[in-house]
Amino acid sequence: MSGHVHKDYIGAKFGMWLFLFTEILLFGGLFILYAVYLTRYPQEFISAGSELNVWFGGGNTMVLLTSSLFVAISITALRRGAKTLCLRLLGGTIACAVIFMVNKYFEWSAKISHGIYPGSEHLKELQPGEMVFFNIYYLTTGLHGLHVVIGAVLIAWSMFLIKSDKVNADDFVILENAGLYWHLVDLIWIFVFPLYYLILH
Amino acid sequence: MSETTATAANDRGFWGEANYPGIFGWIFSTDHKRIGLLYFWSVLTFFCVGVLLGLLLRLELFAPGETIMSAQTYNATFTLHGVIMIFLFIIPGIPAAFGNLIMPIQIGARDVSFPKLNLFSWWLYITGATLAVTSLFTGGGPPDTGWTFYVPFSAQTSTNVSLAAVAVFILGFSSILTGLNFVTTIHRLRTKGMTWMRIPLFTWSLYATAWIQILATPVIGITVALLFAERVLGTGLFDPAQGGDPIMFQHLFWIYSHPAVYIMVLPGMGVISDIIPVFSRKPAFGYKAIVVSSMAIAFAGSLVWAHHMYTSGISDMAVMIFSFLTFIVAIPSAIKVFNWLATLYEGSILLDPPLLYALSFILLFTIGGLSGLVLGAAAADVHVHDTYFVVGHFHFVMFGGTGMAFFAAMHYWLPKIYGRMYDKTVATVAWGVIIVGFLILYISMKVVGMMGMPRRYYDYVPEFTGLNQLATVGSWILAIGLILMFVNIIHGLFKGDPVEANPWGGASLEWQIPSPPPTENFGEEDPVVTHGPYDFKKAGIL
């Protein structure tokens, strides 16, 4: 191979945006099911949805929004050469991801201790519409939680590359793409939060 | 187009340069041509397995009652035949194999935008394929749901559907990554002078296909993920006992799987659009119309999924709307057929094997497409739904369409990649045998379907015996033709006479570089394009 090095930043970001479309469509399947079942079981969705704790959801919304802000600032910091600040901000993002997941753990544990989880005996005594609601709630927030973890791993990997100067003020498209992915995690939550925690109260 | 440096006859181009020794120079290569060949040989292997399973199915149907296998084995065999042919052969067949081999060269690029991701896609494909094969021998035995995995049966059967669902998810991921790689490549890596209206029609068809791969495949991802969750975690989103609705599974499944038939056929149409002008020595008639119709198929094809569900209990209004939309998709397909015929009209026709396969595509795809309209019309569909008419229909469009296009692409481009030519006379004879076998096999299926024989049964009433035996005999003739074709082309690729850079007289970029192509396709200088892909006068062919 010749030493032909081809770096195409626009291309790299273009590819990332296409990938983000696919993620939105992946969640799109769950949102379609939500819409269909909400139309079919409006009463049951309201009675089951009002059992979700808006403070857990609201708190996690604040945590995620803050983490996205950290990522956005970190990119500017890196471009201006403030490597240490950038790393600290990204550390903050990962801390937010951890808080989010711990929060989620407590929220799910509370539900599970009340016997509300897929396939449980208690769930089978509920109305069919309420069963659908809790199933889709677990699947949607579970899939989203998985994306939070993937996003945090991507951010950690970017931090490692920044530390070893492979990602720097002149070559930071990996951090930008990891940041884009993190914003997607945020964006999906921005739709999950009102659909599950707000409009059903 | 640019002058490229002449190479010595014994120069094996990219074949001679590997980064790693032996097989590692292939399975860890990021060269688009090597990855294309990895895909080519992988999909060809699975195609042969699929053909063997198909032959077994036909053998079972040679006589009523149990002939060579039990009902359960038959269910597993047709499921496997469908899963292998669809997910491991037709979907990756032309785009991943020939798209990787040819597309970057056609736009004057040295590789795709993300070469490592490209290699990763192939590894995902192999992983998915391995899991699909593993699902046959582990758990509760081979899945018996048919390739559509319809709930509630797929959620309840004790066979190994869960692992097959994981395999489909991974294969879908592979397809998505190939799609986004191709879209980015076509946007970003076109060489100087390669304007959008100078892109060869094969690459245009890959562009349209790649968008469908990106936008539709995630939906099958979430669908099989939900099926997996229903089986493993008990989250019954499609389970009526838990308030779910099985029809929603069918909607989500077809929201992907109908656009997926255009993932399967659009690249085939692209192959035909590239071959016909070359062997007619005429510019493609209606180049822009073909481009627009590819994009129109990609768009309109996303809106017709529920025509698979006329008898599933959707409302009459929905049936009418989807029937109407289905008729609309026929229009861009017909535009292509008319443009191909107009290109051939008054052309200086060279009846070489690639053109023969292309012509059989037009014939068989048109028959298959028109019988699709019978199914698209709601009233007629109720009569033939889930009969052998449907089986005949989709084999005409998938095998007669995409399969023939795959063979056409093999005969057209593989001499370029291998630098050697097969025996054209044997290729022509093989083509004739394949067509005869094909027509006997699938016309019999259509007729017996019209008479009311349902699909997916290992048994039938004695009245259908004659036509079923005719179909089975047709499958043998088809198999003989396929063997002849593969032996001839594989022998030619390794032992045939060396070919020059441009054996067919093509005007697009891949014919302006040596055969086989060098590692980075072009010399020191990137090529500069000064005319369209079918401008044979300016290219100096005419």
Side-chain angles (χ1 to χ4, degrees):
Chain A
M1 297 260 175
S2 68
H4 187 86
V5 180
H6 181 89
K7 290 237 172 190
D8 181 4
Y9 286 161
I10 296 176
K13 278 208 266 184
F14 191 100
M16 191 65 199
W17 276 104
L18 291 177
F19 184 70
L20 298 184
F21 285 156
T22 71
E23 289 278 15
I24 287 172
L25 284 155
L26 186 78
F27 279 92
L30 287 168
F31 286 130
I32 287 177
L33 288 174
Y34 178 94
V36 169
Y37 291 134
L38 174 66
T39 317
R40 193 167 300 175
Y41 308 111
Q43 282 309 319
E44 290 88 341
F45 262 51
I46 287 168
S47 64
S50 54
E51 287 187 34
L52 296 191
N53 188 329
V54 70
W55 292 104
F56 269 123
N60 263 349
T61 308
M62 298 310 294
V63 169
L64 270 192
L65 285 176
T66 312
S67 72
S68 259
L69 179 68
F70 285 159
V71 170
I73 303 174
S74 81
I75 296 172
T76 312
L78 188 68
R79 291 175 73 167
R80 295 196 174 171
K83 184 175 153 185
T84 320
L85 177 61
C86 169
L87 287 171
R88 276 185 195 150
L89 286 161
L90 290 174
T93 304
I94 291 180
C96 286
V98 172
I99 295 171
F100 182 92
M101 293 308 288
V102 170
N103 217 342
K104 182 111 282 167
Y105 169 78
F106 283 120
E107 188 189 355
W108 275 28
S109 310
K111 285 273 160 311
I112 291 170
S113 66
H114 285 105
I116 298 174
Y117 56 90
S120 73
E121 288 306 313
H122 177 63
L123 203 62
K124 282 180 186 150
E125 292 159 9
L126 298 178
Q127 297 290 320
E130 293 173 324
M131 278 160 60
V132 168
F133 178 83
F134 284 115
N135 278 330
I136 198 166
Y137 157 78
Y138 273 107
L139 285 165
T140 308
T141 55
L143 188 64
H144 178 264
L146 181 68
H147 280 74
V148 171
V149 174
I150 297 171
V153 170
L154 286 177
I155 298 279
W157 179 55
S158 311
M159 285 175 75
F160 172 76
L161 292 176
I162 293 167
K163 254 187 192 149
S164 53
D165 277 326
K166 286 193 181 109
V167 169
N168 52 52
D170 300 316
D171 183 359
F172 53 89
V173 73
I174 290 176
L175 177 60
E176 269 201 295
N177 278 346
L180 278 175
Y181 191 87
W182 191 257
H183 293 319
L184 170 93
V185 171
D186 195 14
L187 177 76
I188 287 169
W189 184 256
I190 291 298
F191 285 88
V192 170
F193 173 57
L195 287 177
Y196 287 85
Y197 295 86
L198 292 183
I199 63 170
L200 298 174
H201 278 270
Chain B
M1 307 227 172
S2 74
E3 287 293 310
T4 46
T5 47
T7 49
N10 61 352
D11 184 352
R12 295 295 291 151
F14 74 98
W15 289 88
E17 290 182 43
N19 288 345
Y20 306 100
I23 192 170
F24 300 108
W26 289 90
I27 61 173
F28 295 133
S29 172
T30 53
D31 180 354
H32 68 94
K33 297 179 289 297
R34 285 175 178 252
I35 294 171
L37 283 175
L38 286 177
Y39 269 116
F40 175 74
W41 289 108
S42 323
V43 296
L44 204 61
T45 308
F46 286 112
F47 175 73
C48 293
V49 176
V51 168
L52 278 176
L53 293 168
L55 288 170
L56 288 176
L57 293 172
R58 281 313 323 166
L59 205 55
E60 165 56 36
L61 293 173
F62 193 74
E66 185 171 323
T67 314
I68 58 163
M69 57 176 91
S70 68
Q72 180 64 23
T73 314
Y74 184 83
N75 290 349
T77 309
F78 75 66
T79 301
L80 193 59
H81 173 75
V83 168
I84 285 183
M85 284 303 202
I86 286 178
F87 292 110
L88 300 178
F89 170 64
I90 309 184
I91 287 178
I94 296 178
F98 289 101
N100 263 313
L101 283 170
I102 300 300
M103 182 275 284
I105 311 183
Q106 280 199 332
I107 60 171
R110 289 167 193 277
D111 210 321
V112 292
S113 275
F114 310 113
K116 285 180 195 158
L117 196 66
N118 204 14
L119 178 64
F120 182 58
S121 305
W122 180 76
W123 275 102
L124 282 178
Y125 169 81
I126 289 298
T127 310
T130 310
L131 287 178
V133 173
T134 311
S135 74
L136 306 177
F137 306 107
T138 55
D144 55 352
T145 59
W147 77 278
T148 49
F149 298 112
Y150 271 13
V151 292
F153 182 64
S154 62
Q156 289 164 1
T157 175
S158 62
T159 58
N160 208 352
V161 170
S162 303
L163 194 58
V166 175
V168 169
F169 187 91
I170 292 174
L171 290 169
F173 199 31
S174 163
S175 181
I176 285 174
L177 293 181
T178 302
L180 82 82
N181 216 337
F182 282 10
V183 168
T184 313
T185 306
I186 294 168
H187 270 273
R188 298 296 304 164
L189 296 186
R190 281 171 293 127
T191 191
K192 201 175 171 196
M194 180 55 76
T195 58
W196 283 97
M197 286 299 129
R198 283 182 187 161
I199 296 178
L201 288 166
F202 175 58
T203 294
W204 258 117
S205 74
L206 290 176
Y207 181 73
T209 307
W211 273 111
I212 312 177
Q213 285 176 299
I214 293 168
L215 297 179
T217 315
V219 183
I220 191 87
I222 192 70
T223 312
V224 293
L226 290 175
L227 173 61
F228 183 84
E230 182 154 342
R231 285 179 66 88
V232 176
L233 306 172
T235 51
L237 279 191
F238 306 122
D239 179 4
Q242 297 193 47
D245 185 350
I247 299 291
M248 286 312 295
F249 177 90
Q250 295 189 18
H251 275 296
L252 287 176
F253 179 83
W254 289 112
I255 284 176
Y256 164 74
S257 295
H258 195 78
V261 308
Y262 299 104
I263 296 178
M264 301 173 203
V265 84
L266 266 173
M269 293 170 157
V271 172
I272 306 310
S273 306
D274 251 20
I275 286 177
I276 284 182
V278 172
F279 293 87
S280 316
R281 291 293 186 270
K282 266 180 70 192
F285 183 89
Y287 171 90
K288 283 184 184 167
I290 296 180
V291 169
V292 172
S293 66
S294 289
M295 298 309 284
I297 287 177
F299 175 72
S302 308
L303 305 175
V304 300
W305 72 87
H307 69 209
H308 295 268
M309 302 165 54
Y310 289 161
T311 61
S312 298
I314 58 175
S315 72
D316 289 349
M317 176 59 93
V319 169
M320 282 201 297
I321 290 170
F322 279 103
S323 182
F324 173 72
L325 289 168
T326 303
F327 289 143
I328 286 185
V329 193
I331 296 170
S333 303
I335 288 175
K336 284 181 193 288
V337 172
F338 290 129
N339 278 306
W340 295 328
L341 296 181
T343 308
L344 286 162
Y345 180 66
E346 289 199 331
S348 171
I349 290 177
L350 304 161
L351 268 183
D352 281 320
L355 183 68
L356 289 173
Y357 284 102
L359 293 177
S360 58
F361 174 101
I362 299 180
L363 173 73
L364 303 176
F365 182 77
T366 306
I367 298 174
L370 290 175
S371 63
L373 289 178
V374 175
L375 296 162
D381 177 72
V382 172
H383 178 65
V384 289
H385 191 89
D386 264 346
T387 67
Y388 261 83
F389 187 81
V390 179
V391 181
H393 157 71
F394 67 66
H395 281 91
F396 259 93
V397 285
M398 288 295 116
F399 190 0
T402 313
M404 290 299 156
F406 187 82
F407 302 155
M410 276 168 45
H411 287 85
Y412 183 54
W413 278 310
L414 286 185
K416 155 64 60 186
I417 299 299
Y418 279 80
R420 292 183 190 277
M421 184 56 79
Y422 47 84
D423 186 325
K424 291 183 197 171
T425 314
V426 179
T428 307
V429 172
W431 170 79
V433 178
I434 288 174
I435 297 301
V436 170
F438 184 99
L439 290 173
I440 294 175
L441 170 57
Y442 296 116
I443 286 180
S444 310
M445 281 192 188
K446 280 194 175 176
V447 175
V448 82
M450 274 295 201
M451 291 162 68
M453 177 165 160
R455 64 191 286 206
R456 292 179 167 169
Y457 281 59
Y458 87 128
D459 192 8
Y460 51 83
V461 291
E463 289 90 313
F464 297 146
T465 310
L467 279 166
N468 270 297
Q469 289 184 340
L470 191 61
T472 305
V473 172
S475 76
W476 296 337
I477 300 175
L478 180 60
I480 292 168
L482 289 174
I483 292 170
L484 195 58
M485 178 188 75
F486 283 128
V487 169
N488 175 52
I489 198 162
I490 291 170
H491 180 263
L493 295 177
F494 291 100
K495 296 275 163 58
D497 298 330
V499 292
E500 64 273 32
N502 196 355
W504 310 119
S508 45
L509 274 176
E510 75 268 32
W511 305 110
Q512 319 305 318
I513 60 171
S515 309
T519 297
E520 289 203 326
N521 304 339
F522 304 97
E524 289 297 306
E525 296 288 314
D526 285 335
V528 178
V529 180
T530 54
H531 58 76
Y534 310 109
D535 197 333
F536 299 103
K537 286 208 176 80
K538 281 189 187 158
I541 310 292
L542 288 179

